[in-house]
């Protein structure tokens, strides 16, 4: 039977093909696979969306994480939330805090090399109260985007807000001062009382023992800073009482409360040329010191003062006939140095500086050697220095230069500790003391006893005169107390009353006055009636004897 089913038999092969299973390719996907495929796609999309929505992870460092909470503290820019702090930990060396935070993808472009972060929280400072909105919501970190093209993922967080915004136009300069000023970050920088900038940074250099300040001056005020500009500390109120009198200067209210920096160009210097960014300037303690700092070319001389120097201080003026030409540099100076051999008594050395720039001479026109030779010639002509009182109120002294022609031949060149000695003469106080001494000597030479005896006699005579005056006064008092003297007033009043009555009797309304007026009128009429008779008698006196005035004068008959 096996032989019948051999493959060589065609009939047997046909029968096997009929009963054998045949394979064919799948023509379509089964619907059952749609659900897992869709689930996988959704899962992948969720994973991708979650990864992309997480944002950029950055690292922040700061000195202290006060007010920062992991998972709660927000990162904002212009008060818009752009991220959140994920974790807070200490650094490996335990010197600062390290925070990790995620920034939203749409804010990733803000993470530039010069971007700045700082903590916003309630503060009470010189500028007032800020950050009150964080009292309930908690502190947050503020981000200010930078302008750099370089991206960065690690940043330092400042505890205070920056003074100037990133990209703000302005000028940064560096100030160097001695230790002791009270400048802080955020203090105002003013020009003629107007705030034009702020202090950005302050630090102390222990090697040089100087304070270094970085200040930012806003545009367009940066052009006010030139190579002739001087910076000084403004204390709000500057009260000075010196040889020039009382001076009071008041800065802005902000500087009055917290201080600050003021700058300007001295009046006797040109405006100068603009400076480059980060230029370095000295910070002076006050405006006077800043003005004095401009006179950097000078000659030094030593005054050997035989009088007292009480009232003479560093910074006092050196004047020539009222014009200031220098400054006292030190009182005393090099006190232990040996005195010149020509000195018979110990003198107080005072170092002074002659500053030609005070006369309006520019640096290029100053030849210090020529000025030194000029003063040497003036010494031979009698130029001398003396101490004079500049203020009776404070007793401050200054150095006065003037010519003493009578001392021109007495000048002897001297040096003290390598400096030329400026010849001096006794000051006003010494002259007054000499005059007082001479006066006392004259008083001691006077014969006081005869003078006192004469004064005693004069006093005795004066006592006698006073005794007589007392007696006269007593007599006058007795006369005034006499009743008859006191009655004089009453009698006088009665007399005046009688006189008043008499005067009333001759008044125009009294009868006597009217009768007198009538009698005068009658007399006047009588006089008018007698006027013709009087006129006739004056013209022809015989009318009184003859009736006919035209008849011839009778001729007497001759005797028979």
């Amino acid at each position: 039977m096996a032989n019948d089913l051999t493959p060589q038999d065609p009939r047997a092969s046909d029968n096997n093909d009929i009963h054998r299973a045949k394979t064919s390719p799948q023509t379509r996907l089964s619907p059952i696979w749609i659900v897992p495929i869709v689930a996988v796609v959704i899962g992948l999309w969720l994973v991708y969306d979650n990864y992309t929505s997480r944002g950029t992870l950055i690292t922040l460092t700061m000195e202290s994480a006060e007010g920062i909470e992991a998972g709660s503290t927000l990162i904002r820019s212009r008060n818009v939330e752009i991220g959140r702090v994920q974790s807070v930990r200490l650094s490996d060396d335990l010197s600062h805090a390290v925070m990790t935070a995620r920034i939203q993808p749409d804010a990733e472009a803000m993470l530039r090399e010069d971007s700045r972060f700082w903590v916003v929280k309630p503060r009470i400072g010189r500028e007032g109260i800020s950050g009150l909105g964080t009292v309930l919501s908690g502190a947050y970190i503020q981000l200010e985007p930078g302008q750099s093209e370089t991206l960065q993922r690690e940043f330092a967080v400042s505890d205070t807000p920056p003074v100037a915004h990133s990209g703000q136009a302005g000028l940064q300069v560096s100030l160097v001062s001695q230790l002791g000023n009270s400048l802080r970050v955020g203090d105002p920088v003013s020009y003629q009382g107007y705030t034009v900038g702020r202090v950005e940074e302050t630090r102390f250099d222990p090697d040089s023992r100087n304070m270094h300040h970085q200040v930012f001056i806003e545009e367009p005020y940066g052009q006010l800073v030139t190579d002739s500009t001087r910076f000084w500390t403004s204390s709000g109120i500057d009260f000075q009482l010196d040889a020039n009198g009382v001076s009071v200067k008041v800065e802005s209210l902000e500087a009055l409360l917290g201080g600050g920096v003021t700058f300007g160009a001295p009046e006797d210097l040109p405006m100068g040329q603009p400076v480059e960014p980060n230029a370095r300037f000295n910070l002076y303690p006050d405006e006077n010191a800043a003005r004095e700092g401009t006179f950097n070319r000078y000659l030094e001389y030593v005054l050997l003062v035989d009088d007292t120097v009480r009232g003479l201080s560093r910074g006092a003026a050196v004047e020539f006939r009222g014009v200031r030409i220098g400054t006292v540099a030190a009182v005393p100076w090099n006190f232990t140095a040996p005195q010149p051999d020509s000195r018979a008594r110990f003198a107080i050395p005072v170092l002074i500086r002659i500053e030609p720039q005070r006369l309006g001479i520019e640096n290029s026109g100053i030849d210090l050697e020529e000025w030194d030779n000029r003063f040497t010639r003036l010494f031979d002509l009698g130029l001398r220095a003396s101490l004079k009182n500049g203020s009776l109120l404070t007793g401050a002294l200054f150095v006065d230069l003037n010519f003493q022609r009578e001392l021109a031949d007495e000048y002897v060149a001297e040096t003290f500790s390598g400096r030329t000695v400026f010849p001096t003469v006794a000051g006003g106080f010494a002259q007054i003391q000499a005059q007082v001494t001479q006066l006392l000597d004259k008083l001691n030479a006077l014969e006081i006893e005869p003078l006192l005896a004469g004064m005693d006699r004069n006093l005795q005579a004066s006592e006698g005169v006073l005794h007589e005056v007392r007696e006269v006064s007593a007599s006058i008092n007795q006369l005034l107390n006499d009743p008859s003297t006191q009655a004089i007033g009453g009698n006088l009043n009665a007399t005046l009353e009688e006189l008043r009555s008499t005067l009333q009797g001759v008044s125009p309304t009294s009868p006597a006055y009217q009768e007198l007026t009538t009698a005068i009128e009658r007399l006047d009429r009588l006089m008018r009636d007698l006027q013709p008779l009087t006129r006739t008698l004056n013209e022809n006196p015989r009318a009184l004897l003859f009736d006919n005035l035209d008849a011839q004068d009778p001729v007497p008959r001759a005797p028979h």
Side-chain angles (χ1 to χ4, degrees), residues 74-83 137 140-144:
L74 302 178
I75 299 177
R76 296 180 179 179
S77 179
R78 299 185 182 276
N79 209 27
V80 177
E81 179 182 350
I82 61 172
S137 62
Y140 64 90
I141 297 176
Q142 183 77 15
L143 165 62
E144 184 180 77

Side-chain angles (χ1 to χ4, degrees), residues 62-103:
M62 61 185 305
E63 293 294 330
S64 173
E66 179 184 2
I68 306 299
E69 296 181 3
S72 299
T73 301
L74 302 178
I75 299 177
R76 296 180 179 179
S77 179
R78 299 185 182 276
N79 209 27
V80 177
E81 179 182 350
I82 61 172
R84 187 183 297 268
V85 175
Q86 299 293 322
S87 63
V88 180
R89 63 180 179 85
L90 289 175
S91 62
D92 295 337
D93 57 358
L94 306 180
S95 61
H96 57 276
V98 179
M99 300 173 292
T100 57
R102 287 198 177 273
I103 302 298

Side-chain angles (χ1 to χ4, degrees), residues 276-451:
E276 297 294 331
N278 296 319
R280 183 172 179 176
F281 293 88
N282 289 326
L283 179 62
Y284 296 93
D286 51 45
E287 184 177 1
N288 289 334
R291 185 179 294 108
E292 296 298 327
T294 61
F295 309 116
N296 53 7
R297 302 198 65 188
Y298 48 81
L299 294 171
E300 288 186 340
Y301 294 97
V302 175
L303 305 180
L304 296 179
V305 182
D306 293 329
D307 305 327
T308 177
V309 295
R310 183 179 181 87
L312 183 66
S313 60
R314 178 184 179 186
V318 178
E319 298 181 358
F320 175 73
R321 296 179 178 176
V323 178
R324 182 166 183 175
I325 62 172
T327 304
V328 175
V331 181
W333 178 75
N334 207 353
F335 191 79
T336 58
Q339 298 275 323
D341 296 336
S342 59
R343 293 280 168 171
R345 52 183 297 186
F346 187 82
I348 305 297
V350 176
L351 182 65
I352 66 172
R353 293 175 178 174
I354 303 299
E355 300 158 339
Q357 290 170 303
R358 292 185 179 273
L359 302 177
I361 304 175
E362 298 184 359
N363 290 341
S364 58
I366 297 177
D367 186 353
L368 294 180
E369 184 177 358
E370 171 61 25
W371 276 86
D372 187 35
N373 296 332
R374 183 180 304 175
F375 271 94
T376 302
R377 293 192 299 269
L378 294 177
F379 295 157
D380 293 330
L381 297 177
L383 182 64
R384 298 293 184 268
S386 62
L387 302 184
K388 288 190 176 181
N389 190 0
S391 174
L392 295 177
L393 181 62
T394 62
L397 301 179
F398 70 96
V399 178
D400 180 67
L401 308 183
N402 212 331
F403 285 96
Q404 305 289 337
R405 300 295 182 180
E406 65 278 5
L407 302 178
D409 298 333
E410 300 180 4
Y411 171 67
V412 177
E414 295 177 320
T415 58
F416 178 85
S417 188
R419 301 291 192 280
T420 301
V421 175
F422 202 110
T424 60
V425 293
F429 284 111
Q431 295 177 0
I432 293 175
Q433 291 177 356
Q435 294 175 359
V436 171
T437 302
Q438 294 177 1
L439 179 60
L440 293 177
D441 293 339
K442 293 180 179 179
L443 291 177
N444 291 330
L446 292 176
E447 296 181 359
I448 304 299
E449 294 182 357
L451 180 62

